[in-house]
Amino acid sequence: METQSAEVILPAQQAVVLYVLPILTVLVTCASPAMALAFLVRASHVGQELHNAVQRRFSLLSLFIVGLSPFFLLSNYLASNLYLYGIYGAMLATANLLADRLAKCRIWPGLAIWHALNLLTLIGGNLGPILPYTISTNGIVGECLRVSARYGDMCPRGDAAITWCDNVWVSIQLLVAFAYVLLHIIAFFLVITRVVHHYGGGSDGDFDSNSFRGLVVHSSVPNSGALPSAGPF
C-alpha cells in the first residue's frame, strides 16, 4: 500500500520534479566551479581563478566533465537514476578543481580512491560488495536506455509520451555518456600519475642511472677540502 501511495503524485509536484528541479540542478552544476573557488579566494578574483584553471590540464579536463554533466541532469527523475551520474560526476570534477588549485600532496591518494569508485560506478556491473554506493548495475550507458528499453527501445509518443524520453535526446545522451566515461578514465590516470609522482615515482633504473651520473659529476669536481698531493721530490 505504501508503494502505491508513493506513486500517486499531484500534477504540481510532478511538474516541479520533472521540469523545475532539472533546470535548477543544471544551473547549480554549471556554477559549481565558481562557487567552489569562491571559498578559496575573494569573489572578485573568481574570474581570474577560472582563467588560470583553463591553463592547467587537469583543471581544464574537470571543467569539461562539469560541462557534460547537464546532459544527464536533464532526464526523468521519477523513471531513471541517470541524473545521479551527472551529480556525482560534477561533484568529483569540482573536487578536482580544488585539489589542483590547492596543490597539496596529501589530497591525491584520497582523490584517487574516489576516482576509482566513481569510474567503477560509471562502467557498471555487479560490484555491490566492492562499492560503498551504487547507482545501477547497467552503468551510465545502460541507464540512458532504461526508460526507452521498457517500450522496445523506442520512446513512446502522444498521450503515452514520457518526459525527457525522446529518441534523439537519448541518442545524444548515449554519445555524451561514452565521452563522459572516457574523460573520467583520463582524469583517473592523471590522478594516479600525481600520486605516483608524490609518493615514490622513481624507478630502480632511474635511481641507478641518477646515482651513476651523480657519482661521475661528483668525482669530476675538485675537492677543495682535500689535502694537496705531494709533488715529486
Side-chain angles (χ1 to χ4, degrees):
M1 294 298 294
E2 295 180 357
T3 304
Q4 293 179 356
S5 60
E7 293 178 353
V8 178
I9 302 178
L10 296 177
Q13 295 174 324
Q14 190 172 7
V16 170
V17 174
L18 296 178
Y19 296 103
V20 178
L21 285 184
I23 294 175
L24 290 178
T25 307
V26 168
L27 295 177
V28 173
T29 299
C30 293
S32 60
M35 291 189 298
L37 293 174
F39 287 101
L40 302 179
V41 298
R42 295 180 180 179
S44 59
H45 297 164
V46 172
Q48 182 62 38
E49 287 293 335
L50 289 174
H51 180 268
N52 295 337
V54 175
Q55 309 302 320
R56 297 189 295 266
R57 178 178 57 179
F58 186 58
S59 295
L60 180 60
L61 180 65
S62 301
L63 290 175
F64 274 121
I65 293 176
V66 174
L68 293 181
S69 297
F71 285 92
F72 312 113
L73 300 176
L74 296 177
S75 59
N76 193 311
Y77 290 9
L78 298 176
S80 171
N81 292 327
L82 184 61
Y83 68 99
L84 292 178
Y85 289 101
I87 293 176
Y88 291 158
M91 290 174 57
L92 179 57
T94 305
N96 293 340
L97 289 173
L98 295 178
D100 205 20
R101 172 62 176 81
L102 294 173
K104 300 294 184 180
C105 298
R106 297 181 179 179
I107 295 178
W108 299 106
L111 193 62
I113 296 175
W114 188 0
H115 269 274
L117 296 176
N118 183 74
L119 190 57
L120 292 175
T121 303
L122 287 173
I123 297 174
N126 190 11
L127 302 173
I130 301 176
L131 299 177
Y133 66 91
T134 182
I135 300 176
S136 172
T137 57
N138 298 325
I140 187 171
V141 175
E143 195 67 18
C144 291
L145 299 171
R146 181 175 181 180
V147 178
S148 60
R150 302 173 183 173
Y151 303 91
D153 295 331
M154 294 290 292
C155 291
R157 297 182 179 181
D159 296 336
I162 300 177
T163 307
W164 299 111
C165 185
D166 180 80
N167 294 326
V168 176
W169 180 240
V170 173
S171 300
I172 294 175
Q173 287 178 327
L174 287 172
L175 295 176
V176 175
F178 176 81
Y180 203 67
V181 174
L182 181 61
L183 291 179
H184 277 280
I185 292 175
I186 297 174
F188 169 72
F189 282 106
L190 286 178
V191 174
I192 291 297
T193 302
R194 295 283 183 93
V195 174
V196 173
H197 174 73
H198 291 301
Y199 297 92
S203 63
D204 293 338
D206 295 336
F207 176 79
D208 293 339
S209 61
N210 290 334
S211 299
F212 178 74
R213 287 195 298 269
L215 180 61
V216 172
V217 172
H218 179 73
S219 62
S220 63
V221 176
N223 189 356
S224 59
L227 295 176
S229 60
F233 290 98

